[in-house]
Amino acid sequence: MALTHIRRLHANNVATFRKSPVSEISGSLGDLGTLLPLMIALAVNNSISLSTTLVFSGLWNIFTGVAFGIPLPVQPMKAIAAVAIARRFSIEETVSAGFTTSGFVFLFSVTGLLRWFTRVIPTPVVKGIQVGAGLSLVLSAGGSLLQPLGWTTPNAKDNLLWALFAFIALLATQKMQKVPYALLIFILGLVLSLFTAGTHNLPSFRVWHPTTFVPSWAAFKTGALDAGLGQIPLTTLNSVIAVTYLSADLLPNIPAPGVTEIGISVAVMNLIGGWFGAMPVCHGSGGLAAQYRFGARSGASIILLGSFKIILGLLFGESLIGLLREYPRSLLGIMVLAAGLELAKVGESLNYGARDLWEASDSQEEDTVREGLKHQRTLSDEERKERWTVMFMTVGFLLAFKNDGVGFIAGMLCHYFNQASRVWAEWESQRIRRENGGTRRNRQATTVEEEEEQLLVET
């Protein structure tokens, strides 16, 4: 059964690549705007091994492309990366944070809790997590990548003029899906990096020598408490649950992977690669949206990307840090911004096309009677308003506190308060109907008694 499924996915990967190879290559580079800044910063801090990260993330790219058949990204765990960069974590502390998050995700997966989460979490909250993640990418692009730039600073090869050029090119290629925007921008950035980097920053041949890292108790405690626990809600919501919803929305012709499969994949990646100093990674909905936005439509795209990463890691490794550090932030910023907007767009289907609105059809018409036929449930104006409110409550608190967990709690509370208000209104309506019914019966009884008394008086 599993082999048959993988063969079908493989056939689709091959067919898609043969049909549009340039789009698949371009799409594979769509997530670089998220990957490169965090990976470079962690490597410069000596918080991860760059060569090991390239080799193992490349292996996971190939594995996920074969097993799932969609352009599922392998990207940094952002909360862990942010803390590790700010506090200059050692490699042992960084991988300990990844071990902690992955351990919890593995338990959630094998116990069935992830499937339960998917059933009980309402669609507006999931959409809110997705939209919030997309807008977070937009804010990140503006705050950390584009805002520090001037029109001519920091240098002639990285400034707002290059960002403006990349933005105009993005607008010009929106309706031209065959133009490999991400591939062209990546090559342009690489050329500019070569001109900016000095001869001492150019990569050199350096064969990968894997080293194992066994965290001490102190390192494990620091990584787990200061970074690992905070990453759990982000990974569970955005990298597991939201990504399964998004894959079904973007690629309806390919079977969407289940939350259990995605959760186990995230756990295995880190519980293996962490022992060798690899960066903690996950599958993010933002990365999937980015790779789809720039042309990827199958697992072939990330299989190519994974192969390229493995070659770089095996042959050049740590010597790439100098060159990657010079990559223009202006170009990365526009790519991150485009990816964020693509992810935020999924909110438009909240009330028209969302998966929880499809239900079995009761139609008896001859042209619509088919086994398993479904139709869209029509929402009232009040229901549409409530769903928008829940989604934007989730988005607002996520952005305000920069925490997926806070946004999730706010959205769930808003949803349950709406449900409670509806139940209360129905109960109140039934109570009023019962009281009105009792009043009418009393009035009828009184009328009968008055008529009997009148008859007695007359006689």
Side-chain angles (χ1 to χ4, degrees), residues 169-253:
L170 176 68
L171 295 178
T173 57
Q174 279 193 110
K175 302 298 183 181
M176 304 163 61
Q177 296 296 328
K178 292 187 177 181
V179 176
Y181 173 84
L183 177 60
L184 296 176
I185 292 296
F186 174 72
I187 293 174
L188 174 62
L190 204 57
V191 171
L192 294 175
S193 301
L194 289 171
F195 278 108
T196 305
T199 54
H200 61 285
N201 283 330
L202 295 178
S204 58
F205 184 73
R206 191 177 300 177
V207 179
W208 178 50
H209 294 288
T211 303
T212 57
F213 295 88
V214 180
S216 64
W217 171 247
F220 183 83
K221 183 178 178 181
T222 299
L225 297 179
D226 293 353
L229 294 178
Q231 178 69 45
I232 293 172
L234 177 60
T235 296
T236 304
L237 298 170
N238 185 51
S239 302
V240 179
I241 296 175
V243 83
T244 59
Y245 274 68
L246 185 63
S247 64
D249 291 340
L250 296 180
L251 301 162
N253 296 326

Side-chain angles (χ1 to χ4, degrees), residues 121-137:
I121 298 175
T123 295
V125 174
V126 177
K127 292 282 188 184
I129 295 294
Q130 292 173 321
V131 174
L135 295 180
S136 294
L137 288 177

Side-chain angles (χ1 to χ4, degrees), residues 1 14 40 42 62 81 133 147 162 164 175 189 275 318 335 349 357 368 381 403 414 423 430:
M1 183 73 175
V14 173
I40 294 169
L42 289 169
I62 294 173
Q147 190 173 345
W162 283 110
L164 180 61
K175 302 298 183 181
W275 297 107
E318 312 300 327
M335 291 179 69
S349 65
L357 299 181
T368 60
D381 290 341
N403 188 303
C414 182
V423 171
Q430 292 176 358

Side-chain angles (χ1 to χ4, degrees), residues 45 80-89:
N45 274 357
I80 291 177
V83 176
I85 292 169
R87 299 188 52 178
R88 303 187 69 87
F89 271 9

Side-chain angles (χ1 to χ4, degrees), residues 3 5 28 50 72 75 79 116 183 199 281 351 364 419 439:
L3 290 177
H5 180 66
S28 70
L50 178 61
L72 193 63
Q75 58 181 196
W116 181 76
L183 177 60
T199 54
V281 292
N351 292 329
Q364 299 299 316
Q419 295 291 98
T439 301

Side-chain angles (χ1 to χ4, degrees), residues 53-68:
T53 295
L54 289 170
V55 171
F56 274 96
S57 65
L59 287 173
W60 306 137
N61 277 134
I62 294 173
F63 170 78
T64 52
V66 171
F68 302 130

